[in-house]
Amino acid sequence: MLACALVASASPVFSQSSPYRGLWVGEVSLGAVNEVSVPLDANNVPRAPDPNVPTPTSDAANLRLILHVDAAGRTSLLKQVAVLSRKAGIQKSESDMSLVTDERLYGSFPPQAATRVSSVVFDFGDAKASAAVDQIADKAASAAATAAGQSGATQATVAAAAQAAAAPVVTQADAAAAFNTFLQTSLDAVKVRAIANGGSTVAARAAANALRDGSFYADTRGVEMLDAIEAALAGLPAGATQAQKEQLALNTAAAFAEASPAYDGFLAGELFGDMISAAATAAATAADAIAPKPVSAFQTSESGASTAAVSTAHGLVTGDEVAVFGAAVSAYNGIHKIVRIDNDRFRIAVGFRAGGAIGAYSAFTAIPPLIVESPAHGLKTGDRITLRDSLAAYNGKHLVTSIDANHFSIELPFESDPASRGMWSMRSGEITAYVGTGDGSAGVKISAPNHGLNNGTNIEIRGSGQAAYNGVKTITRIDADSFSIPMAFAGDPAVKGTWEIPVPIAGFAPPAVQPVLIAAPAHGLADGDRILISGSGKAAYNGEQVVTVVNAGAFTIPLPFDTATGNPAVKGSWLAASGGQWRKTAAIRAALDQVAKVAQARTAALGVKITPYSDTRAPDAVEQILNAIVRATATEEAPLATSAAKAAADFLASALPRYTGPSSAPSIDYSSFVHSQEFTGSVATASAAAAAAAAALKEKGNLLATPASIRDKALQAALEVLAPAQAAASRALLPALRMSGDFGPEGSGLATQIVLPANHPTNPFRHRRHPDHTRGFDIRRVVKLSFLPAEEQLSAAAYGVDRISGVYDEEIFGLHKSLGPNKDIGLKVRGSFQLNRVSQIDTLNGH
């Protein structure tokens, strides 16, 4: 029950998995780059292009793009992924498969022919490992340069200073040990419980900031962990108990304390999938052997606070668990612990829906489609328009359905027909420049590529940085890419704006056929509930009806409202329809307890627990999935294992609590490297410090030496000695690179940075046989993905979406000198991307 309350999208604890979860594979088509040269125009005058604006290329370059979205909606860029069967030859469903990005895990799967997808364009390693080596060199070089500048400096004193400065890097580089120390001293279970009960986070926050700022690694896990705990607690309902608060905080903390996403891996693992399959079969068999018994009526109990089910000679005792199904009021259906009233009645803890008098009948107009009146609109079904300057709910881009020459519809519910109805447009375009006509006549030439306009067309210019240009204008066509407007030239503003052909809207209306809206205060019903209307002056209303809830005081029934007769003087009343069945669940639960895979999953769940935080995530997940299976089988008249398994899978995707862990954590390869002899020995042997000291003292003897040149020589010498360590660092793999932002058209887009360190052995500026090329330049690739709006996607952006599109931007620093007046612009490329979802598996490397 606590988990069901934690569905707020901003909470680090969530039940609704991302609708975009899974593996997405597609292609980027690059068609524009920025220009780095300064070409000559027709008059041989240099015209420097704007380096911020990529210009079209004569052909395209295509890249493969592989993304993975986890249950929390967090996206990772992949360089390769294999789709492997957990059991040889079995791929009946996605629970039989795993997405593997770490090649070293292949051996844990059975031999098989598998699908592997890769992209050579996105090849990245763990840059943190190279950064650790760089940090040793930097610290040693800086200290050596400073010590060399002191009077009486010797090789021994300078080397000692360099080694003393570099030695702490080894400890600081062990991010895992530093984080564990933070957990034990600043945010253990005692402190987490105190925070859950309103305690201060000041001391823990200071320690988290120190963890982040205390080394080059900049570990943000402590800060993120505190933020997550506070956000989770803030998302709790007001009535949450102390125990619920504490357990939620502990479970949230456990998601950060685990060395790898063990909880998500457990849910995505083979055992969990096998448990669901075996439990569904056992539960369906057990439920099928229990004949359901009828409920002849539901009555009020405890003054309406609960409901009594009438079932002759039910044979139940207080505390028995039953499943009610088929009741007209959906709130009655489900699993209940009952209280025996007498031999023929038992009570369930659900408020009674008493029915009552009907207040009024009317037409419900707030339904789609919205009918738009626009004389001689000229649109056809499937055209896309932009509607603006109307109600906020109406404005935006829409697909139209043509009704007749003067009317079309869009898929929005009717709200009202406002006095200011606004405009719609289908034709529009970008403006790239404003130029005076130059022939002495009044007029402004506007560059608008491929505008397709004719003489005398009325357009509206919007968003221009020169306000005088905005508004409705009559154009004169010049050529296919330009036209003029009759007004004085007022400059060429930086913000050009856009043009469009606006068409006025004459009116909005609801659909011609509207359902009946019934006023019924505090009805307590839900969509799909069945009611009986009686005593209405309009005979068509009387009888059983299925309701659609509008609000707490009204619902609709699927009958068309007639303006003349639809609201009779005698309104009548409503009550819940009869019907329903029940069966006991004890035998089903007993059958589940005998399933071997259930016992194994329960045992394995204990192994997933982060014991110091009294973590209950995995054991709770097992029991909640089993409850979903019990509910599915016990509430079916003819229980089926397939429907029970589907119910469990749906619960796993949409209701089982998940926990957002850290945005990043030390990779396995990074942790191995910082404990390796190649790394720790680089300081312990003092070789880097000695080399830096010797180079610093030598450069000091140069008459033209400066503090900067002394440091540079010391750094170069240290890097040469550290080359073996840097080579080892370059082998640190990073199977997935986390992206910031949001996947999908509703979010902010995605971004990430791929770094090839200056000292990396594969840096293109390094040359092992050239003494001046021992150090390159840091090469950074800043990748951004911007998704097209939902209405412009090739398929609906929701559950079941299998294709999504957008704009790809990349800026590369380090391969070329920086561009622009501030020297802060890299090489830019732009294009479009299209991704197809090939799997909904939301966890990588699960087994």
Side-chain angles (χ1 to χ4, degrees):
M1 292 177 63
L2 172 64
C4 295
L6 299 172
V7 191
S9 61
S11 174
V13 185
F14 57 96
S15 298
Q16 187 77 50
S17 295
S18 169
Y20 304 111
R21 68 190 185 280
L23 179 66
W24 296 80
V25 179
E27 187 174 73
V28 176
S29 180
L30 298 177
V33 299
N34 62 350
E35 299 180 50
V36 300
S37 59
V38 180
L40 302 178
D41 66 10
N43 298 316
N44 286 329
V45 176
R47 301 290 185 187
D50 184 350
N52 259 321
V53 181
T55 55
T57 57
S58 60
D59 57 4
N62 297 318
L63 320 175
R64 174 168 284 175
L65 183 62
I66 311 171
L67 302 180
H68 182 264
V69 183
D70 68 11
R74 297 176 300 185
T75 304
S76 296
L77 175 67
L78 309 183
K79 52 186 173 183
Q80 63 89 18
V81 61
V83 183
L84 300 180
S85 298
R86 292 181 170 130
K87 298 188 178 96
I90 298 179
Q91 286 192 357
K92 294 180 181 179
S93 67
E94 291 202 326
S95 64
D96 298 322
M97 295 178 283
S98 179
L99 301 179
V100 181
T101 59
D102 190 340
E103 297 175 351
R104 292 166 296 187
L105 299 177
Y106 290 172
S108 62
F109 290 83
Q112 59 190 278
T115 300
R116 181 178 180 272
V117 184
S118 63
S119 176
V120 297
V121 179
F122 299 106
D123 189 14
F124 46 82
D126 194 335
K128 292 283 192 181
S130 294
V133 180
D134 286 347
Q135 187 75 356
I136 289 177
D138 287 341
K139 292 292 186 182
S142 296
T146 300
Q150 305 297 317
S151 61
T154 65
Q155 171 69 23
T157 60
V158 175
Q163 186 173 10
V169 176
V170 173
T171 302
Q172 294 169 357
D174 193 348
F179 183 62
N180 287 335
T181 300
F182 165 78
L183 295 179
Q184 294 167 12
T185 60
S186 302
L187 205 55
D188 60 8
V190 173
K191 293 180 175 64
V192 170
R193 285 191 174 93
I195 291 171
N197 290 301
S200 172
T201 61
V202 172
R205 181 74 61 181
N209 290 338
L211 176 69
R212 178 194 61 201
D213 303 333
S215 80
F216 75 93
Y217 191 90
D219 192 347
T220 60
R221 285 178 293 173
V223 174
E224 292 176 2
M225 183 175 178
L226 275 170
D227 291 343
I229 292 171
E230 291 178 338
L233 293 171
L236 277 172
T241 65
Q242 178 179 337
Q244 289 173 332
K245 292 177 182 178
E246 290 183 1
Q247 192 58 61
L248 176 63
L250 289 168
N251 285 350
T252 302
F256 286 82
E258 58 188 6
S260 62
Y263 173 64
D264 288 340
F266 173 69
L267 299 183
E270 177 183 359
L271 176 59
F272 203 76
D274 288 349
M275 179 200 75
I276 290 176
S277 179
T281 299
T285 301
D288 193 45
I290 306 170
K293 295 185 177 181
V295 176
S296 58
F298 292 96
Q299 302 172 346
T300 184
S301 182
E302 297 182 317
S303 302
S306 59
T307 299
V310 179
S311 182
T312 304
H314 54 68
L316 298 172
V317 297
T318 295
D320 280 347
E321 184 182 76
V322 303
V324 176
F325 57 100
V329 175
S330 57
Y332 298 160
N333 296 324
I335 306 295
H336 305 280
K337 291 282 189 179
I338 68 97
V339 174
R340 182 181 184 278
I341 299 175
D342 53 36
N343 290 338
D344 301 321
R345 293 181 302 158
F346 59 86
R347 184 162 60 238
I348 59 176
V350 177
F352 181 63
R353 273 51 169 180
I358 293 173
Y361 301 91
S362 60
F364 184 59
T365 59
I367 56 172
L370 175 66
I371 310 301
V372 183
E373 181 181 358
S374 181
H377 56 73
L379 297 171
K380 62 182 183 297
T381 297
D383 282 345
R384 191 184 301 277
I385 66 168
T386 300
L387 199 153
R388 59 176 175 79
D389 300 333
S390 185
L391 296 179
Y394 294 170
N395 291 334
K397 295 182 179 181
H398 309 283
L399 290 174
V400 308
T401 299
S402 180
I403 299 173
D404 56 39
N406 300 319
H407 299 85
F408 61 87
S409 67
I410 57 179
E411 281 300 310
L412 288 177
F414 175 80
E415 284 196 4
S416 68
D417 184 19
S420 298
R421 297 183 175 107
M423 302 278 186
W424 67 267
S425 64
M426 187 174 73
R427 296 180 60 189
S428 62
E430 298 293 323
I431 294 173
T432 60
Y434 299 85
V435 182
T437 54
D439 59 3
S441 63
V444 179
K445 177 183 176 181
I446 296 178
S447 295
N450 301 312
H451 57 71
L453 301 174
N454 296 316
N455 282 339
T457 301
N458 288 327
I459 67 167
E460 182 173 2
I461 297 176
R462 297 170 58 83
S464 172
Q466 170 51 261
Y469 293 153
N470 293 325
V472 177
K473 314 289 182 184
T474 302
I475 71 106
T476 298
R477 177 187 171 93
I478 298 175
D479 55 36
D481 298 316
S482 61
F483 54 82
S484 66
I485 56 175
M487 63 175 295
F489 179 64
D492 185 21
V495 179
K496 315 298 183 184
T498 59
W499 66 266
E500 63 181 36
I501 302 177
V503 182
I505 294 172
F508 295 100
V513 177
Q514 301 145 24
V516 176
L517 178 67
I518 296 177
H523 54 73
L525 299 174
D527 287 350
D529 285 355
R530 295 178 288 113
I531 64 169
L532 287 173
I533 296 177
S534 60
S536 172
K538 187 174 176 68
Y541 294 163
N542 293 324
E544 186 170 307
Q545 305 287 355
V546 178
V547 310
T548 299
V549 172
V550 175
N551 54 45
F555 52 80
T556 65
I557 58 174
L559 293 175
F561 183 78
D562 185 305
T563 304
T565 63
N567 189 24
V570 179
K571 314 299 182 188
S573 60
W574 71 273
L575 53 79
S578 60
Q581 301 181 82
W582 66 272
R583 60 161 58 94
K584 288 183 68 175
T585 63
I588 304 173
R589 294 194 181 276
L592 292 180
D593 290 339
Q594 301 304 310
V595 176
K597 290 294 183 182
V598 170
Q600 292 172 23
R602 283 170 168 162
T603 301
L606 297 176
V608 174
K609 292 179 61 173
I610 305 300
T611 304
Y613 288 97
S614 303
D615 175 20
T616 64
R617 294 172 300 158
D620 287 351
V622 170
E623 301 310 319
Q624 290 179 60
I625 288 293
L626 295 177
N627 286 341
I629 291 173
V630 171
R631 187 181 307 110
T633 53
T635 57
E636 282 188 342
E637 191 162 359
L640 296 173
T642 53
S643 58
K646 182 180 183 303
D650 290 345
F651 186 88
L652 177 62
S654 62
L656 188 70
R658 300 292 189 97
Y659 298 78
T660 302
S663 60
S664 65
S667 67
I668 295 173
D669 281 19
Y670 173 83
S671 295
S672 296
F673 170 72
V674 297
H675 288 96
S676 68
Q677 179 60 31
E678 289 94 334
F679 180 67
T680 58
S682 63
V683 173
T685 61
S687 54
L697 289 170
K698 181 178 179 181
E699 177 65 11
K700 179 184 177 183
N702 187 337
L703 294 177
L704 300 178
T706 66
S709 70
I710 294 173
R711 185 190 181 282
D712 288 344
K713 291 297 183 180
L715 180 61
Q716 181 177 334
L719 289 172
E720 288 176 358
V721 171
L722 291 171
Q726 192 64 263
S730 70
R731 295 191 291 271
L733 301 179
L734 191 64
L737 183 63
R738 182 65 56 81
M739 304 186 79
S740 61
D742 304 302
F743 190 102
E746 306 89 351
S748 59
L750 297 169
T752 193
Q753 180 172 267
I754 303 170
V755 178
L756 184 64
N759 299 317
H760 197 278
T762 62
N763 189 290
F765 290 103
R766 295 192 64 192
H767 195 295
R768 68 173 65 185
R769 304 192 189 282
H770 196 302
D772 292 340
H773 292 180
T774 57
R775 181 178 176 87
F777 298 93
D778 286 334
I779 297 175
R780 295 187 298 118
R781 299 173 59 189
V782 180
V783 176
K784 295 181 180 179
L785 303 179
S786 304
F787 293 88
L788 295 178
E791 63 271 10
E792 296 182 25
Q793 293 292 344
L794 296 179
S795 57
Y799 275 90
V801 63
D802 59 3
R803 181 177 296 166
I804 201 163
S805 307
V807 176
Y808 177 95
D809 284 290
E810 182 172 338
E811 189 169 7
I812 306 169
F813 297 91
L815 283 181
H816 190 279
K817 66 180 181 181
S818 295
L819 306 172
N822 298 322
K823 303 300 181 185
D824 59 354
I825 300 172
L827 301 177
K828 291 190 173 186
V829 295
R830 168 170 282 196
S832 61
F833 69 84
Q834 186 176 111
L835 293 166
N836 297 285
R837 179 157 58 181
V838 299
S839 169
Q840 290 194 13
I841 298 173
D842 58 25
T843 302
L844 295 173
N845 302 314
H847 188 44

